Amino acid sequence: MDRASGADGPLVSSIGPQGFRVDDGYYSALLLTPARADLWSPPSIETLDIDALAALVAMRPEFILIGTGANLVRPPVALIRALEAQEIGVEAMDSRAAARAWGVLRAERRAIAAALYPLAE
């Protein structure tokens, strides 16, 4: 992956067996904001709730990208409703696509956040 020109903050530069490479570190799963990347121990996608994304919700992003691992898995409807009640949109896709979308959207300076599940558990 190429570092998107004009993007500030953390960007995923590659995805491999160790996980996601962000700057000089590797993360098996991570939470991304425009200011930082944090290691994340996600619950199963079926039990993902707003509490697991509290650090992202606190920043009041336009929307949250949810990278659901190697394949697209629909997040729980209750999570989507809880986020939408706070006027935060949800975009779910596989984690590779979410990492690429993160770079493009950050280059556009969009106020977004991301939660990326590992490719394999």
Side-chain angles (χ1 to χ4, degrees):
M1 293 179 197
D2 292 329
R3 189 168 179 89
S5 79
D8 58 352
L11 292 174
V12 178
S13 58
S14 67
I15 302 172
Q18 296 92 2
F20 304 92
R21 183 178 181 144
V22 179
D23 300 324
D24 292 329
Y26 281 95
Y27 302 80
S28 56
L30 75 144
L31 296 177
L32 288 165
T33 70
R36 59 187 295 155
D38 291 312
L39 183 62
W40 184 40
S41 296
S44 68
I45 191 73
E46 297 82 15
T47 62
L48 181 62
D49 62 15
I50 200 163
D51 292 336
L53 302 176
L56 304 181
V57 172
M59 66 163 278
R60 308 296 303 158
E62 179 183 340
F63 63 89
I64 296 175
L65 285 170
I66 300 177
T68 60
N71 299 300
L72 170 62
V73 177
R74 296 303 230 172
V77 172
L79 170 65
I80 294 169
R81 287 185 181 146
L83 290 170
E84 288 176 346
Q86 295 194 37
E87 299 182 356
I88 299 171
V90 178
E91 294 292 334
M93 57 195 72
D94 70 76
S95 290
R96 287 183 193 276
R100 287 189 302 272
W102 173 262
V104 171
L105 293 166
R106 287 301 304 140
E108 295 174 357
R109 306 251 192 261
R110 302 282 295 271
I112 61 170
L116 305 181
Y117 277 81
L119 295 179
E121 291 192 27

